[in-house]
Amino acid sequence: MAKARGVGGTPATLALTAAGIAFEVRAYEHDPRATGYGLEAAEALGVEPARVFKTLLASLDPSTGSGQRARLVVGIVPVSGQLDLKALARTLGGSKAVMAEVAAAERATGYVAGGISPVGQKRTHPTVLDSSALDHDTILVSGGRRGFDLELAPRDLVAITCAVTATIGR
């Protein structure tokens, strides 16, 4: 996979290029009536859903007695499954996690729902990548807008997002 050059348009592609990380743009015609964005991407790109990952934000309540406030965290799981919020909370040392409100996720990342990329977000958030990603040479994640995915090595995604890997999908 060659490093994409001259690919502008999203903070994700700019961040990957600046970091020297190889990626491939995988664009498709997004159907505005679609609601399952990840499954739509897998079908449109002819990729098995287990290799296409969705980026979800959750609000993590800290452990009891820690004195910390709830914070937004990122979970990245295959589109063929769901995010296990208890596993996400456990992995990050919290007591529980709930899905973030869409508006809060969009504000915190700078991306629109259905196109939230784990790369190039406005703010850095603790990130967990489902360990199943490591079973593949490359995976696809949103590139920062609907109909625009990026294919890259999962270890490169871990490096650029400072993610940990754990079983957070079900």
Side-chain angles (χ1 to χ4, degrees), residues 24-30 44-45 145 147-150:
E24 183 177 332
V25 171
R26 302 288 303 270
Y28 61 94
E29 189 66 37
H30 165 64
L45 297 172
R145 61 181 181 258
F148 188 77
D149 277 22
L150 304 174

Side-chain angles (χ1 to χ4, degrees), residues 11-168:
T13 59
L14 297 174
L16 288 167
T17 300
I21 293 177
F23 67 96
E24 183 177 332
V25 171
R26 302 288 303 270
Y28 61 94
E29 189 66 37
H30 165 64
D31 180 350
R33 296 169 297 180
T35 55
Y37 303 114
L39 291 174
E40 176 195 27
E43 184 176 329
L45 297 172
V47 177
E48 61 185 282
R51 282 189 52 225
V52 180
F53 283 68
K54 56 188 169 185
T55 304
L56 302 169
L57 271 80
S59 179
L60 178 71
D61 285 341
S63 299
T64 307
S66 71
Q68 296 178 343
R69 300 181 352 191
R71 61 188 170 143
L72 289 180
V73 298
V74 175
I76 308 167
V77 295
V79 300
S80 56
Q82 295 180 325
L83 174 62
D84 182 337
L85 290 164
K86 288 181 183 180
L88 179 66
R90 264 192 318 270
T91 300
L92 294 174
S95 60
K96 75 174 191 172
V98 296
M99 292 304 297
E101 293 182 14
V102 172
E106 291 178 339
R107 268 193 315 276
T109 62
Y111 295 117
V112 64
I116 294 177
S117 179
V119 180
Q121 296 181 0
K122 280 175 39 176
R123 296 183 207 119
T124 303
H125 301 95
T127 300
V128 181
L129 174 63
D130 187 74
S131 57
S132 67
L134 301 177
D135 296 339
H136 307 284
D137 292 334
T138 61
I139 60 171
L140 284 78
V141 295
S142 176
R145 61 181 181 258
R146 297 173 189 156
F148 188 77
D149 277 22
L150 304 174
E151 183 173 356
L152 71 163
R155 294 202 185 280
D156 287 338
L157 181 60
V158 166
I160 195 160
T161 61
C162 299
V164 296
T165 58
T167 302
I168 59 166

